[in-house]
mmCIF file of all heavy atoms in Angstrom:
data_model
loop_
_atom_site.group_PDB
_atom_site.id
_atom_site.type_symbol
_atom_site.label_atom_id
_atom_site.label_comp_id
_atom_site.label_asym_id
_atom_site.label_seq_id
_atom_site.Cartn_x
_atom_site.Cartn_y
_atom_site.Cartn_z
ATOM 1 N N GLU A 22 90.092 90.485 90.386
ATOM 2 C CA GLU A 22 91.217 90.061 89.546
ATOM 3 C C GLU A 22 92.544 89.730 90.276
ATOM 4 O O GLU A 22 93.556 89.541 89.654
ATOM 5 C CB GLU A 22 91.461 90.997 88.444
ATOM 6 C CG GLU A 22 90.326 91.095 87.405
ATOM 7 C CD GLU A 22 90.294 89.777 86.515
ATOM 8 O OE1 GLU A 22 91.446 89.170 86.411
ATOM 9 O OE2 GLU A 22 89.340 89.526 85.973
ATOM 10 N N CYS A 23 92.456 89.789 91.527
ATOM 11 C CA CYS A 23 93.721 89.414 92.349
ATOM 12 C C CYS A 23 94.109 88.033 92.237
ATOM 13 O O CYS A 23 93.332 87.136 92.344
ATOM 14 C CB CYS A 23 93.469 89.723 93.834
ATOM 15 S SG CYS A 23 93.379 91.538 94.152
ATOM 16 N N THR A 24 95.424 87.815 91.943
ATOM 17 C CA THR A 24 95.848 86.425 91.911
ATOM 18 C C THR A 24 96.947 86.112 92.993
ATOM 19 O O THR A 24 97.339 84.890 93.144
ATOM 20 C CB THR A 24 96.540 86.106 90.487
ATOM 21 O OG1 THR A 24 97.603 87.035 90.369
ATOM 22 C CG2 THR A 24 95.549 86.330 89.440
ATOM 23 N N THR A 25 97.419 87.150 93.710
ATOM 24 C CA THR A 25 98.454 86.895 94.769
ATOM 25 C C THR A 25 97.952 87.537 96.121
ATOM 26 O O THR A 25 97.098 88.511 95.975
ATOM 27 C CB THR A 25 99.769 87.444 94.314
ATOM 28 O OG1 THR A 25 99.736 88.907 94.333
ATOM 29 C CG2 THR A 25 100.236 86.967 93.049
ATOM 30 N N ALA A 26 98.463 87.005 97.181
ATOM 31 C CA ALA A 26 98.136 87.624 98.496
ATOM 32 C C ALA A 26 98.597 89.061 98.583
ATOM 33 O O ALA A 26 97.897 89.930 99.233
ATOM 34 C CB ALA A 26 98.729 86.759 99.615
ATOM 35 N N GLU A 27 99.781 89.326 97.958
ATOM 36 C CA GLU A 27 100.229 90.810 98.039
ATOM 37 C C GLU A 27 99.321 91.713 97.329
ATOM 38 O O GLU A 27 98.977 92.864 97.745
ATOM 39 C CB GLU A 27 101.634 90.830 97.386
ATOM 40 C CG GLU A 27 102.387 92.178 97.686
ATOM 41 C CD GLU A 27 102.246 92.604 99.131
ATOM 42 O OE1 GLU A 27 102.492 91.806 100.065
ATOM 43 O OE2 GLU A 27 102.078 93.816 99.376
ATOM 44 N N GLU A 28 98.812 91.330 96.137
ATOM 45 C CA GLU A 28 97.814 92.152 95.338
ATOM 46 C C GLU A 28 96.569 92.351 96.324
ATOM 47 O O GLU A 28 96.142 93.459 96.405
ATOM 48 C CB GLU A 28 97.381 91.517 94.040
ATOM 49 C CG GLU A 28 98.394 91.705 93.012
ATOM 50 C CD GLU A 28 97.799 91.076 91.640
ATOM 51 O OE1 GLU A 28 97.265 89.910 91.777
ATOM 52 O OE2 GLU A 28 97.975 91.649 90.602
ATOM 53 N N ALA A 29 96.197 91.326 96.897
ATOM 54 C CA ALA A 29 94.969 91.358 97.796
ATOM 55 C C ALA A 29 95.249 92.325 98.927
ATOM 56 O O ALA A 29 94.431 93.107 99.332
ATOM 57 C CB ALA A 29 94.663 90.029 98.333
ATOM 58 N N ARG A 30 96.458 92.306 99.575
ATOM 59 C CA ARG A 30 96.720 93.168 100.617
ATOM 60 C C ARG A 30 96.637 94.623 100.208
ATOM 61 O O ARG A 30 96.144 95.551 100.978
ATOM 62 C CB ARG A 30 98.131 92.827 101.189
ATOM 63 C CG ARG A 30 98.432 93.550 102.498
ATOM 64 C CD ARG A 30 99.961 93.384 102.777
ATOM 65 N NE ARG A 30 100.257 91.900 102.976
ATOM 66 C CZ ARG A 30 100.097 91.240 104.106
ATOM 67 N NH1 ARG A 30 99.516 91.826 105.107
ATOM 68 N NH2 ARG A 30 100.444 89.906 104.117
ATOM 69 N N GLN A 31 97.167 94.993 99.086
ATOM 70 C CA GLN A 31 97.159 96.384 98.530
ATOM 71 C C GLN A 31 95.774 96.829 98.453
ATOM 72 O O GLN A 31 95.499 97.947 98.876
ATOM 73 C CB GLN A 31 97.899 96.368 97.173
ATOM 74 C CG GLN A 31 99.399 96.116 97.209
ATOM 75 C CD GLN A 31 99.999 95.861 95.849
ATOM 76 O OE1 GLN A 31 99.188 95.990 94.808
ATOM 77 N NE2 GLN A 31 101.198 95.622 95.722
ATOM 78 N N ARG A 32 94.935 96.024 97.892
ATOM 79 C CA ARG A 32 93.451 96.368 97.796
ATOM 80 C C ARG A 32 92.724 96.563 99.089
ATOM 81 O O ARG A 32 92.010 97.556 99.284
ATOM 82 C CB ARG A 32 92.805 95.481 96.821
ATOM 83 C CG ARG A 32 93.169 95.693 95.327
ATOM 84 C CD ARG A 32 93.270 94.475 94.529
ATOM 85 N NE ARG A 32 93.702 94.922 93.135
ATOM 86 C CZ ARG A 32 94.999 95.114 92.839
ATOM 87 N NH1 ARG A 32 95.951 95.060 93.651
ATOM 88 N NH2 ARG A 32 95.211 95.369 91.529
ATOM 89 N N ILE A 33 92.975 95.649 100.015
ATOM 90 C CA ILE A 33 92.378 95.738 101.346
ATOM 91 C C ILE A 33 92.844 97.061 101.984
ATOM 92 O O ILE A 33 91.986 97.690 102.691
ATOM 93 C CB ILE A 33 92.697 94.548 102.129
ATOM 94 C CG1 ILE A 33 91.914 93.254 101.566
ATOM 95 C CG2 ILE A 33 92.352 94.658 103.600
ATOM 96 C CD1 ILE A 33 92.481 91.897 101.997
ATOM 97 N N ARG A 34 94.089 97.318 101.933
ATOM 98 C CA ARG A 34 94.660 98.502 102.585
ATOM 99 C C ARG A 34 94.014 99.850 102.124
ATOM 100 O O ARG A 34 93.998 100.802 102.883
ATOM 101 C CB ARG A 34 96.124 98.567 102.483
ATOM 102 C CG ARG A 34 96.856 97.573 103.421
ATOM 103 C CD ARG A 34 98.319 97.561 103.179
ATOM 104 N NE ARG A 34 99.046 96.832 104.157
ATOM 105 C CZ ARG A 34 100.413 96.666 104.152
ATOM 106 N NH1 ARG A 34 101.159 97.169 103.128
ATOM 107 N NH2 ARG A 34 100.905 95.915 105.121
ATOM 108 N N LEU A 35 93.536 99.805 100.832
ATOM 109 C CA LEU A 35 92.999 101.051 100.319
ATOM 110 C C LEU A 35 91.524 101.076 100.461
ATOM 111 O O LEU A 35 90.820 101.970 99.843
ATOM 112 C CB LEU A 35 93.340 101.093 98.784
ATOM 113 C CG LEU A 35 94.886 101.313 98.518
ATOM 114 C CD1 LEU A 35 95.188 101.398 97.037
ATOM 115 C CD2 LEU A 35 95.400 102.551 99.256
ATOM 116 N N GLY A 36 91.020 100.000 101.146
ATOM 117 C CA GLY A 36 89.489 100.050 101.346
ATOM 118 C C GLY A 36 88.691 99.435 100.240
ATOM 119 O O GLY A 36 87.458 99.469 100.312
ATOM 120 N N LEU A 37 89.296 98.930 99.231
ATOM 121 C CA LEU A 37 88.546 98.101 98.220
ATOM 122 C C LEU A 37 88.072 96.850 98.702
ATOM 123 O O LEU A 37 88.798 96.143 99.573
ATOM 124 C CB LEU A 37 89.446 97.999 96.962
ATOM 125 C CG LEU A 37 89.817 99.156 96.180
ATOM 126 C CD1 LEU A 37 90.927 98.865 95.163
ATOM 127 C CD2 LEU A 37 88.605 99.707 95.359
ATOM 128 N N TRP A 38 86.901 96.405 98.307
ATOM 129 C CA TRP A 38 86.410 95.041 98.579
ATOM 130 C C TRP A 38 87.116 94.092 97.780
ATOM 131 O O TRP A 38 87.260 94.159 96.575
ATOM 132 C CB TRP A 38 84.943 95.017 98.396
ATOM 133 C CG TRP A 38 84.115 95.693 99.389
ATOM 134 C CD1 TRP A 38 83.902 97.097 99.551
ATOM 135 C CD2 TRP A 38 83.223 95.129 100.400
ATOM 136 N NE1 TRP A 38 83.042 97.355 100.560
ATOM 137 C CE2 TRP A 38 82.704 96.171 101.127
ATOM 138 C CE3 TRP A 38 82.936 93.765 100.943
ATOM 139 C CZ2 TRP A 38 81.840 96.017 102.318
ATOM 140 C CZ3 TRP A 38 82.120 93.577 101.958
ATOM 141 C CH2 TRP A 38 81.605 94.676 102.608
ATOM 142 N N LEU A 39 87.651 93.083 98.435
ATOM 143 C CA LEU A 39 88.340 91.922 97.729
ATOM 144 C C LEU A 39 87.294 90.820 97.434
ATOM 145 O O LEU A 39 86.672 90.230 98.285
ATOM 146 C CB LEU A 39 89.451 91.309 98.637
ATOM 147 C CG LEU A 39 90.104 90.107 98.116
ATOM 148 C CD1 LEU A 39 90.936 90.529 96.856
ATOM 149 C CD2 LEU A 39 90.996 89.463 99.159
ATOM 150 N N MET A 40 87.089 90.573 96.171
ATOM 151 C CA MET A 40 86.304 89.642 95.627
ATOM 152 C C MET A 40 87.169 88.366 95.325
ATOM 153 O O MET A 40 87.902 88.528 94.323
ATOM 154 C CB MET A 40 85.449 89.959 94.398
ATOM 155 C CG MET A 40 84.360 90.993 94.632
ATOM 156 S SD MET A 40 83.447 91.364 93.107
ATOM 157 C CE MET A 40 82.203 92.360 93.727
ATOM 158 N N ILE A 41 87.090 87.339 96.050
ATOM 159 C CA ILE A 41 87.911 86.139 95.803
ATOM 160 C C ILE A 41 87.208 85.278 94.782
ATOM 161 O O ILE A 41 86.205 84.864 94.979
ATOM 162 C CB ILE A 41 88.218 85.338 97.096
ATOM 163 C CG1 ILE A 41 88.946 86.255 98.089
ATOM 164 C CG2 ILE A 41 89.004 84.060 96.838
ATOM 165 C CD1 ILE A 41 89.360 85.633 99.486
ATOM 166 N N ARG A 42 87.910 85.101 93.648
ATOM 167 C CA ARG A 42 87.244 84.388 92.604
ATOM 168 C C ARG A 42 87.766 82.951 92.543
ATOM 169 O O ARG A 42 89.008 82.614 92.663
ATOM 170 C CB ARG A 42 87.651 85.060 91.270
ATOM 171 C CG ARG A 42 87.296 84.336 90.042
ATOM 172 C CD ARG A 42 87.627 85.015 88.771
ATOM 173 N NE ARG A 42 89.096 85.411 88.720
ATOM 174 C CZ ARG A 42 89.591 86.102 87.766
ATOM 175 N NH1 ARG A 42 88.801 86.765 86.842
ATOM 176 N NH2 ARG A 42 90.874 86.341 87.738
ATOM 177 N N GLU A 43 86.885 82.053 92.198
ATOM 178 C CA GLU A 43 87.126 80.663 91.940
ATOM 179 C C GLU A 43 86.227 80.214 90.809
ATOM 180 O O GLU A 43 85.104 79.692 90.965
ATOM 181 C CB GLU A 43 86.831 79.764 93.196
ATOM 182 C CG GLU A 43 87.345 78.362 93.004
ATOM 183 C CD GLU A 43 88.944 78.107 93.157
ATOM 184 O OE1 GLU A 43 89.598 79.149 93.232
ATOM 185 O OE2 GLU A 43 89.348 76.918 92.964
ATOM 186 N N GLY A 44 86.689 80.434 89.577
ATOM 187 C CA GLY A 44 85.986 80.024 88.459
ATOM 188 C C GLY A 44 86.412 78.698 87.895
ATOM 189 O O GLY A 44 87.149 78.038 88.589
ATOM 190 N N SER A 45 86.033 78.347 86.649
ATOM 191 C CA SER A 45 86.518 77.127 86.034
ATOM 192 C C SER A 45 87.841 77.373 85.413
ATOM 193 O O SER A 45 88.732 76.481 85.422
ATOM 194 C CB SER A 45 85.547 76.737 84.913
ATOM 195 O OG SER A 45 84.255 76.309 85.489
ATOM 196 N N ALA A 46 88.102 78.523 84.854
ATOM 197 C CA ALA A 46 89.478 78.866 84.241
ATOM 198 C C ALA A 46 90.408 79.550 85.220
ATOM 199 O O ALA A 46 91.506 79.224 85.346
ATOM 200 C CB ALA A 46 89.264 79.653 82.984
ATOM 201 N N ALA A 47 89.841 80.568 85.886
ATOM 202 C CA ALA A 47 90.682 81.317 86.785
ATOM 203 C C ALA A 47 90.279 81.032 88.182
ATOM 204 O O ALA A 47 89.192 81.192 88.736
ATOM 205 C CB ALA A 47 90.387 82.757 86.567
ATOM 206 N N GLN A 48 91.336 80.391 88.956
ATOM 207 C CA GLN A 48 91.030 79.803 90.287
ATOM 208 C C GLN A 48 91.998 80.479 91.235
ATOM 209 O O GLN A 48 93.219 80.236 91.250
ATOM 210 C CB GLN A 48 91.160 78.315 90.257
ATOM 211 C CG GLN A 48 90.124 77.625 89.262
ATOM 212 C CD GLN A 48 90.331 76.151 89.204
ATOM 213 O OE1 GLN A 48 91.032 75.546 90.132
ATOM 214 N NE2 GLN A 48 89.516 75.532 88.341
#
């Protein structure tokens, strides 16, 4: 559910796997 690079960075730093989503509605 990350939509910004900063959100992604927070999750990566905590060891969470970042799933980058590219759907039809949420890109």
Side-chain angles (χ1 to χ4, degrees):
E22 288 292 334
C23 292
T24 59
T25 68
E27 189 52 41
E28 280 184 316
R30 188 189 304 274
Q31 292 168 2
R32 283 143 181 80
I33 291 168
R34 284 177 171 176
L35 294 181
L37 289 167
W38 287 73
L39 173 66
M40 292 180 169
I41 298 181
R42 171 179 57 189
E43 186 76 358
S45 295
Q48 301 180 7

